[in-house]
């Protein structure tokens, strides 16, 4: 079983250990019951960039939203149940132009975060080359 302390702890530790992440802060935590909770983490990255991680866990089902932002949203991955025409439904990715794409994420926050952090790192690196 997944618990709030175990999932929040794992995500926080993963983010704190990544070289891209300068400061990690838990900004919201709500536990409705042992098998229903949510949390939101904000991460300061380089410059004015931030990453927000939002997880809602409900009896084995996880809703997630990961967003890179500065003054405005830049990239986002989530599994809100829209875009059912995508083969990765409900998982999808919003790019910096607001276009929706297939997502490599599967709904396992600890594993998926590695993919998100790599994409964010690539995005920041490519942007700095412009």
């Amino acid at each position: 079983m997944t618990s709030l302390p175990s999932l929040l702890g794992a995500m926080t530790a993963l983010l704190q250990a990544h070289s891209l992440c300068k400061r990690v802060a838990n900004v919201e935590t709500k536990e409705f019951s042992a098998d229903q909770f949510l949390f939101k983490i904000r991460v300061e990255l380089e410059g004015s960039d931030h990453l927000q991680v939002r997880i809602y866990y409900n009896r084995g089902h996880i809703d997630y939203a990961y967003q890179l932002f500065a003054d405005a949203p830049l990239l986002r991955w989530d599994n809100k149940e829209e875009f059912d025409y995508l083969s990765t439904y409900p998982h999808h990715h919003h790019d910096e132009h607001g276009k929706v794409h297939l997502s490599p994420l599967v709904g396992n926050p600890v594993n998926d975060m590695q993919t998100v952090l790599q994409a964010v790192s690539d995005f920041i690196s490519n942007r700095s080359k412009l």
Side-chain angles (χ1 to χ4, degrees):
M1 179 177 124
T2 299
S3 69
L4 174 60
S6 66
L7 187 52
L8 178 59
M11 292 297 286
T12 300
L14 187 155
L15 292 164
Q16 288 174 333
H18 197 280
S19 62
L20 190 65
C21 303
K22 306 304 178 201
R23 184 173 164 272
V24 177
N26 180 10
V27 295
E28 182 179 9
T29 304
K30 292 184 181 174
E31 187 168 25
F32 307 104
S33 67
D35 59 355
Q36 185 182 21
F37 57 83
L38 70 84
F39 62 83
K40 188 186 303 182
I41 300 170
R42 288 236 177 95
V43 182
E44 288 181 19
L45 306 175
E46 301 171 4
S48 62
D49 291 325
H50 291 82
L51 178 66
Q52 180 170 284
V53 174
R54 184 183 184 282
I55 302 289
Y56 172 68
Y57 182 88
N58 186 8
R59 297 174 186 90
H61 176 79
I62 294 177
D63 288 326
Y64 65 85
Y66 311 124
Q67 180 171 262
L68 173 67
F69 65 96
D71 295 334
L74 297 169
L75 304 175
R76 188 173 82 236
W77 296 261
D78 67 79
N79 64 340
K80 184 173 181 187
E81 294 174 343
E82 50 190 357
F83 310 112
D84 59 359
Y85 57 88
L86 294 174
S87 62
T88 58
Y89 174 83
H91 311 282
H92 57 280
H93 166 64
H94 302 260
D95 69 17
E96 69 272 25
H97 307 291
K99 294 183 181 178
V100 177
H101 302 274
L102 301 174
S103 174
L105 306 186
V106 297
N108 180 324
V110 175
N111 292 339
D112 287 348
M113 188 50 54
Q114 298 291 349
T115 302
V116 169
L117 288 168
Q118 185 60 55
V120 166
S121 181
D122 293 346
F123 177 83
I124 291 171
S125 176
N126 289 336
R127 184 182 60 190
S128 68
K129 293 176 185 176
L130 298 177

